[in-house]
Amino acid sequence: MSVHILMYPYPTAGHIIPLLDLSHKLLHLPRPAAAAAVTVTVVVTPENLHLLDPFLASSSSLQPLVLPSPEPPATPHPPQRRLVATVRALRELHLPLLSRWFESHPSPPCAVVSDFFLRWTHRFARDRGVPRVVFSPSGSFGLSVAFALWRDLLRPDEESAVSFAKLPDSPRFPWSHLPDVYRSYEAGDPEMERHREDALGNIESWGIVVNSFDGLERAYLDHLRKDVGHDRVWAVGPLLPAEGDGSSGPVDRGGPSSVSASEVLTWLDACPGGSVVYVCFGSRAVLNQRQMDELAAGLERSGVRFILCARQSSRGGHVAAGDVGAVPEDFEARVAGRGLVIRGWAPQVPILRHRAVGTFLTHCGWNSTLEGLSAGAVMLTWPMGAEQFVNAKLLVDELGVGIRVGEKSEKVPEAAELARVLAESLRSDLPQRVRAKEMSGAARDAINGGSSDKDLSDFVRCVDEQRRSKIQTL
């Protein structure tokens, strides 16, 4: 019998793609002769099914389980409650469908690996006698902060800051830098109490898989193991497409774009090594007009070569409705020859891996953080929300690979200062660049027979042992 794992990502590209990368690695893991084979079923909604195409083509042991998307809510939710409403809608729609599928399957999964937003799957797996493993698309620092918040219900002090005394080095964060959904928590609110109960299910789950690696977050991985009271915490990252024979990896990993990947890479080919700043705020965040105006002016004044990924949707919830920043009129004409603007999805991994890119101006989402670190880019941090302020602190204060640029709409850099930092960030002798190259090497070592490969093998071994133990007791 095979080790059949059900993978259940939160249905957005930034959460689906790393879980698909994990599935791909599991299915291509070198297997001792006595070890069981691995098969994977991935829960996916119809609009995201295309993300599986390259993975389905490479393995017959990967199968999709297509479940419907929830209907949009009849009444709009405030941004800070949108996640809670979406998770509830997924639970109500998918739980009965998953239950019927599980009970009718001839060889049901022996483990459920689900996104840390889908905390209700802890009870689903427990009721069926299989282990539930949390998949964290955030790092172990961010996950440690989330565990502390929901378990201890930490509140701000007189300086409007929150201290995490149980974490390594006791970090402190301004109240406004903590996730919106947590700051909106009200004791006694039934929906928020259910959300907190589900969050505690993450801590109680059988195991945790983190998209990180030992050389990046060793102290926080050790803290997580102590926090949950067991060693079933596996760091298996960075989960990225293999470069393979010097290629830049897959280029179609998201949505539509105004510029083809081949055009982007051709444009980069004409640039000197380490001369380009790549600017992207992820798949969800959108700048407001003031942020966009200062960013565009700073890029123009800096004189540097750059690629700007400009999203034109407010889905991310970080800007007020109607305040979606548009690229200034005639901007592209004024920077022609040294600036490229991409509207829509950018082929981020190949861009960052290109020899011409030296600096990454980022919102510090964890996928972007890992992609930039793995490529050895200097990281200019401009966090917008979620756990991004935690990631920015890691990059700047602990790893020494980053430089602070902005903080959502509270601290918008002035164009002149931004221009100076952009130009300075491309220096070859910058201390942050030296550290970035070291972290890139550590990331590469982790997934080439190092700590992450060993953790991945150990994860499969533990799941298989659990499966065999269950069979013996039947």
Side-chain angles (χ1 to χ4, degrees):
M1 291 180 64
S2 66
V3 174
H4 181 193
I5 299 174
L6 178 67
M7 297 282 188
Y8 188 2
Y10 185 75
T12 59
H15 288 246
I16 295 170
I17 289 173
L19 203 52
L20 290 176
D21 285 330
L22 173 62
S23 301
H24 180 80
K25 291 192 73 168
L26 284 170
L27 294 174
H28 292 85
L29 195 66
R31 181 166 60 94
V38 177
T39 61
V40 174
T41 299
V42 179
V43 176
V44 64
T45 51
E47 67 272 18
N48 292 313
L49 184 58
H50 70 281
L51 295 174
L52 272 69
D53 289 345
F55 299 91
L56 294 172
S58 68
S59 176
S60 60
S61 298
L62 178 69
Q63 296 295 325
L65 173 59
V66 183
L67 298 183
S69 301
E71 293 292 329
T75 56
H77 295 276
Q80 63 270 28
R81 293 293 183 97
R82 202 169 293 154
L83 172 64
V84 177
T86 301
V87 170
R88 184 190 69 236
L90 286 167
R91 180 181 66 241
E92 293 173 352
L93 180 61
H94 285 183
L95 180 55
L97 300 174
L98 272 175
S99 299
R100 286 198 292 271
W101 173 83
F102 194 100
E103 289 154 10
S104 63
H105 199 287
S107 181
C110 61
V112 175
V113 178
S114 57
D115 190 277
F116 66 0
F117 283 164
L118 303 175
R119 299 134 175 166
W120 56 269
T121 56
H122 171 62
R123 285 189 296 275
F124 170 83
R126 183 189 59 198
D127 292 346
R128 284 151 188 82
V130 299
R132 185 257 172 151
V133 178
V134 180
F135 175 71
S136 177
S138 294
S140 56
F141 188 7
L143 188 60
S144 297
V145 166
F147 281 4
L149 289 174
W150 289 111
R151 182 189 54 226
D152 301 333
L153 293 178
L154 301 176
R155 311 312 287 176
D157 57 23
E158 64 277 2
E159 298 175 352
S160 295
V162 176
S163 297
F164 293 82
K166 298 177 183 178
L167 270 65
D169 298 325
S170 302
R172 282 168 53 87
F173 294 94
W175 176 246
S176 62
H177 288 182
L178 298 180
D180 288 347
V181 65
Y182 177 76
R183 289 189 288 122
S184 71
Y185 170 80
E186 296 177 7
D189 180 324
E191 187 169 57
M192 292 305 296
E193 292 294 357
R194 176 60 185 266
H195 190 76
R196 184 193 178 213
E197 180 186 346
D198 285 347
L200 296 178
N202 279 343
I203 303 174
E204 298 162 2
S205 288
W206 181 79
I208 302 171
V209 169
V210 187
N211 185 12
S212 187
F213 58 97
D214 191 65
L216 175 63
E217 293 191 291
R218 183 176 297 115
Y220 298 106
L221 289 164
D222 288 343
H223 168 79
L224 274 178
R225 294 181 181 108
K226 180 181 178 182
D227 203 25
V228 299
H230 58 74
D231 289 333
R232 294 185 300 276
V233 176
W234 299 280
V236 300
L239 293 170
L240 298 172
E243 295 190 53
D245 299 327
S247 70
S248 294
V251 294
D252 183 17
R253 289 169 62 81
S257 173
S258 64
V259 184
S260 71
S262 60
E263 289 178 88
V264 176
L265 297 178
T266 298
W267 186 88
L268 284 169
D269 286 343
C271 299
S275 67
V276 176
V277 176
Y278 172 57
V279 182
C280 185
F281 289 84
S283 59
R284 306 285 288 173
V286 181
L287 301 184
N288 62 31
Q289 195 59 59
R290 177 177 169 235
Q291 292 168 326
M292 178 62 78
D293 287 344
E294 293 293 343
L295 173 60
L299 287 168
E300 186 174 352
R301 293 188 192 186
S302 70
V304 304
R305 294 177 176 86
F306 67 88
I307 294 176
L308 168 62
C309 181
R311 303 209 177 275
Q312 302 297 305
S313 162
S314 59
R315 289 179 61 203
H318 295 303
V319 297
D323 190 14
V324 178
V327 176
E329 190 175 351
D330 298 330
F331 173 72
E332 290 169 86
R334 295 196 300 271
V335 297
R338 65 176 181 87
L340 179 66
V341 177
I342 302 174
R343 292 175 173 81
W345 189 274
Q348 181 157 291
V349 173
I351 287 173
L352 287 168
R353 285 177 175 170
H354 197 284
R355 58 164 184 81
V357 175
T359 297
F360 183 13
L361 173 51
T362 172
H363 69 311
C364 303
W366 190 246
N367 289 335
S368 293
T369 295
L370 285 179
E371 288 161 5
L373 284 173
S374 298
V378 171
M379 310 287 278
L380 304 183
T381 69
W382 192 342
M384 293 289 180
E387 91 292 7
Q388 294 156 21
F389 293 94
V390 176
N391 301 338
K393 182 176 180 61
L394 180 71
L395 291 170
V396 177
D397 297 337
E398 301 194 26
L399 300 178
V401 301
I403 301 170
R404 286 187 176 85
V405 168
E407 293 177 351
K408 53 181 182 183
S409 56
E410 297 172 2
K411 295 182 180 178
V412 179
E414 294 183 358
E417 175 60 14
L418 179 57
R420 184 194 66 77
V421 173
L422 289 169
E424 180 81 1
S425 72
L426 291 171
R427 280 177 37 202
S428 61
D429 62 343
L430 200 69
Q432 287 85 351
R433 185 167 308 286
V434 176
R435 285 290 297 140
K437 295 301 181 186
E438 293 172 355
M439 288 308 307
S440 175
R444 189 163 48 248
D445 290 345
I447 55 175
N448 284 286
S451 61
S452 291
D453 283 356
K454 292 173 183 175
D455 268 21
L456 191 63
S457 295
D458 189 63
F459 163 70
V460 175
R461 180 188 62 79
C462 289
V463 170
D464 193 26
E465 286 181 356
Q466 188 80 358
R467 176 184 69 88
R468 293 172 187 269
S469 175
K470 182 180 178 181
I471 291 173
Q472 290 173 358
T473 59
L474 295 177

